[in-house]
Amino acid sequence: MNPVTYLKFAKEHPILSAIFVVGVFVTINRFFIGGLAKTTNLDNNNPWGIWISFDLLCGVALAAGGYTTTCAALIFNIKGFRTAVKPAILTAFLGYAFVVYALLYDVGQPWKLPYPVFVSQGTSSVLFEVGLCVMLYVTVLAIEWLPNFTDWVGWQKISHIIHKATIALTIMGIVLSTMHQSSLGMLYLIAPTKMHPLWYTPHLPLQFFISSMVAGMSMVIFEGTISHHYMHSRMSSEYNNDHDGVMFMFAKACSIVLFGYFFMKWVPIAGEHKWAYLLDGKFALMWWAEMLGFVALPCFLYAVGYRSKNTGTIKAAATISVLGIVFNRFNVSWFAFNINLTPDQRYFPSVQEIIVSVFVVTLIILCFRFISKYMAIFSDHPAYKDHH
Amino acid sequence: MNRRHFLGLAGAATATALTGQANAAGGHSFNGYPNSYGVLFDASRCIGCRQCELGCNQINSENVTKPWTTLPKKDPKSFEDTKGMNDKARTDATMYTLVNKYMPAAAGGKTPVYKKAQCFHCKEPACASACFVKAFTKTPEGAVVYDGSVCVGCRYCMVACPWNVPAYEYDKLIPYVQKCHMCHPHIKAGKAKLPACVSSCPMEALVWGKREDLIKEAWARIGQVPGRYIPHVYGEREMGGTNWLYISSVPFTQIGLPENVGNTPAPELTSGALGLVPLVACLWPVLLGGIWQITKWKDKRAEDEKQQAVAEALAAERAKK
């Protein structure tokens, strides 16, 4: 891009270009000048910060739309879901690809990131399982996404081959998602003394997996709404016809899953006799806020929205659910973690850390916009109508 | 199901089963190395002179074995300052050990009690269990050593360690984890007979020996003068047992040693959940494949019935004419 076109772009999108410029500066600072010390507030007591809490844990959960949508559309064969598959796969693919990209910032020696799989396998580590699953799942998603690209450039033989493997890829995707969505919760099982008892439980992996379903479906509704606003001209009439149906089905499903999840969160409280903690200060308050504001409330709103076929209520429920997932992952990995440290030892992200997270989200949005603008995401490729 | 589809399913199942299998290894049981060495620290003997810190810095900044076991050399005079000691300081990337000063309520709040902090060298270390590149090894001699050549820098070891021991070189562009290695590389290379901290302690507050002997010695000291020590050897069972052991005349929580770490070895905290991974990998493909077949068959049957109904209706119309 030459300076003139960039300036023109910058004039049209001032916020976007500002994020881009600062993002590049922080990136250079992180990798070539200041390292982790000069870009983050991480320290020896708080080795994991917002790049893990938000970019990894929330990123992976919110990209769960890939496995939930493909499962509904291709395994359960639910009518009207076919058109939702391509946007969901694109979102999941970009989500995971950028989770890996964001990890490069966080790990100390990013060029060694393939080591756990290819050089020295620490198979007793939960992180090994996460790494292997994410690597395989990114590959699966890349293959699932590839037909969009090959259709676009006209290599339809490749698209044709990939379509034959759709079901196998879908099943692999669901298996891998189940395993690593739950493993992200499993990561914290090794630190029982560091997490507040209201969150620490051997059920963490199960809770992470179940809540990822809600995260995925809510995210499909949430971003479907945004896409509708900005990409309307690119959407086929078939996509538009199906859109509300997908929303209603997912709203119903989310309501049921959240209902189950609500009670699932009580099981370890009862089983491990943690009743006393429910009235115990700040953490109890946060736990109740999570349970009532971000589980019970969206559960109720989804049910009401589905029953009255009110898309507005459903969109509100989706937004609350997405925020709720972020709140839950922050609680587990940040707010209710390292609780034994004194207040001055606790972690808060630096400005540069936040810039990187914002930068990564911006890059995802830009890629999504570019791909859905030029490739057939919200419509069928004209030369290839019957195969998807 | 046609042949190609079956192959696809089989491929998916195998790939996922393989990823699962790799983790099942986490569930083995291990009782620790029988003849391993360790160190016993007696808090009632420590006078907070920081000679152990000095000894550690000297050997680990001179007898360098690998780039990641190199500590920056510090001025010996800097260890003479005992006024700035506090209970908050922790090991960092420039020091494997340090002495904290506490004013425990159990000692009237006026007499200081000192505690040396360093890696506990767990029998089944949380860091080794958490590390996804096997950068940590529990040696049969007792030390937990770190291999920086494979370390990616994910810092999960630091999350996992219940005592917050591993430190990281945040200020370097090629950073490594830093933690006490019980002078294992130096002893192995014949450059030291004991860990440097032990040999530089003037008060014999540190004793080096076989872990089993140290436990006997610890209990003997506790039994010698009743009431002098808390009847507990910290590290005998904590986190499945550690090779660094502590005895003290004041409760351990008052000298910064948490007593809520439990006796479960770290690998057992995750092995149960990891063991479910192969189950998911085996169960899900079969279940989902089955559901897919059923929904496909259901749709096909509905389609057939529709066509048949249309055909019958058409035939009936024709018959009327």
Side-chain angles (χ1 to χ4, degrees), chain A residues 61-295:
Chain A
L62 295 174
Y67 86 87
T68 48
T69 309
T70 51
C71 185
L74 303 169
I75 303 299
F76 297 145
N77 265 331
I78 303 175
K79 274 212 172 64
F81 267 65
R82 203 181 60 85
T83 50
V85 168
K86 284 201 288 181
I89 285 178
L90 174 61
T91 318
F93 174 49
L94 290 176
Y96 276 86
F98 279 96
V99 161
V100 177
Y101 173 73
L103 268 182
L104 299 179
Y105 286 79
D106 187 76
V107 301
Q109 302 190 26
W111 53 93
K112 286 191 192 161
L113 215 50
Y115 273 37
V117 177
F118 296 108
V119 178
S120 177
Q121 295 82 10
T123 49
S124 68
S125 170
V126 177
L127 201 59
F128 173 77
E129 206 236 318
V130 174
L132 190 59
C133 278
V134 169
M135 192 200 79
L136 288 172
Y137 191 42
V138 171
T139 314
V140 167
L141 282 169
I143 298 171
E144 284 187 312
W145 172 81
L146 198 63
N148 295 306
F149 176 77
T150 47
D151 282 355
W152 183 46
V153 293
W155 303 335
Q156 285 173 2
K157 270 210 164 127
I158 296 174
S159 313
H160 195 72
I161 296 166
I162 294 170
H163 286 304
K164 299 250 164 191
T166 301
I167 293 299
L169 286 170
T170 306
I171 290 179
M172 257 185 95
I174 299 168
V175 172
L176 290 166
S177 291
T178 311
M179 297 199 303
H180 74 254
Q181 291 285 359
S182 52
S183 315
L184 288 176
M186 217 190 286
L187 280 178
Y188 292 89
L189 291 185
I190 204 156
T193 54
K194 294 186 181 180
M195 196 189 293
H196 191 278
L198 282 176
W199 283 272
Y200 185 88
T201 159
H203 293 210
L204 263 178
L206 185 67
Q207 293 177 349
F208 264 53
F209 173 60
I210 301 296
S211 56
S212 83
M213 289 185 202
V214 179
M217 292 188 280
S218 300
M219 203 59 191
V220 170
I221 298 173
F222 182 76
E223 67 178 34
T225 308
I226 298 171
S227 301
H228 245 270
H229 196 259
Y230 291 101
M231 305 296 300
H232 200 77
S233 59
R234 299 285 306 164
M235 291 171 175
S236 67
S237 56
E238 198 194 354
Y239 177 88
N240 284 318
N241 285 340
D242 289 347
H243 183 262
D244 282 0
V246 170
M247 195 191 274
F248 292 137
M249 283 309 296
F250 270 175
K252 191 179 183 183
C254 276
S255 181
I256 294 169
V257 175
L258 279 169
F259 190 74
Y261 179 72
F262 184 84
F263 291 99
M264 212 176 268
K265 288 273 281 184
W266 284 103
V267 173
I269 302 289
E272 297 159 33
H273 296 288
K274 289 175 177 168
W275 300 105
Y277 290 107
L278 293 178
L279 295 169
D280 184 25
K282 181 178 85 176
F283 290 110
L285 215 65
M286 272 158 53
W287 193 83
W288 282 107
E290 197 187 311
M291 286 291 279
L292 299 179
F294 293 113
V295 182

Side-chain angles (χ1 to χ4, degrees), chain B residues 83-311:
Chain B
K83 291 212 178 71
M85 294 170 91
N86 61 52
D87 54 357
K88 291 241 170 58
R90 55 156 290 162
T91 55
D92 61 31
T94 66
M95 51 210 289
Y96 292 153
T97 184
L98 86 166
V99 181
N100 292 112
K101 179 184 181 180
Y102 297 88
M103 289 293 186
K110 285 191 183 139
T111 331
V113 173
Y114 300 93
K115 181 209 67 190
K116 182 180 172 300
Q118 75 297 306
C119 175
F120 283 70
H121 299 278
C122 308
K123 279 160 78 180
E124 296 181 66
C127 55
S129 163
C131 182
F132 69 164
V133 285
K134 284 196 292 195
F136 293 94
T137 318
K138 176 73 179 177
T139 62
E141 294 86 359
V144 177
V145 293
Y146 164 78
D147 174 9
S149 71
V150 291
C151 176
V152 181
C154 70
R155 308 188 296 284
Y156 189 33
C157 50
M158 299 165 71
V159 171
C161 177
W163 292 288
N164 288 324
V165 166
Y168 203 59
E169 297 176 317
Y170 286 104
D171 54 344
K172 298 205 173 145
L173 286 179
I174 302 180
Y176 293 105
V177 170
Q178 293 290 5
K179 73 161 203 68
C180 159
H181 44 48
M182 223 198 250
C183 287
H184 182 263
H186 310 312
I187 293 170
K188 227 177 170 186
K191 287 182 176 150
K193 286 209 170 77
L194 309 169
C197 54
V198 177
S199 52
S200 52
C201 180
M203 296 304 292
E204 290 182 13
L206 293 162
V207 185
W208 159 261
K210 289 221 168 113
R211 184 176 185 272
E212 286 151 19
D213 300 337
L214 292 176
I215 291 173
K216 276 182 211 145
E217 165 71 15
W219 281 109
R221 283 191 206 179
I222 291 170
Q224 246 162 22
V225 187
R228 186 174 166 187
Y229 290 99
I230 299 288
H232 179 162
V233 179
Y234 194 92
E236 187 178 1
R237 292 189 214 289
E238 273 75 10
M239 287 297 282
T242 63
N243 279 50
W244 213 287
L245 304 157
Y246 287 80
I247 50 171
S248 160
S249 49
V250 293
F252 292 105
T253 42
Q254 295 184 19
I255 52 169
L257 293 171
E259 293 192 85
N260 66 343
V261 290
N263 296 339
T264 312
E268 277 176 31
L269 294 167
T270 52
S271 60
L274 274 176
L276 293 175
V277 168
L279 196 71
V280 170
C282 295
L283 183 65
W284 246 197
V286 177
L287 200 62
L288 293 168
I291 293 170
W292 176 69
Q293 279 301 325
I294 292 168
T295 52
K296 209 172 76 157
W297 171 79
K298 197 187 75 184
D299 287 355
K300 190 174 176 296
R301 204 182 139 141
E303 185 63 27
D304 287 351
E305 277 175 3
K306 201 171 107 193
Q307 277 177 3
Q308 206 186 341
V310 171

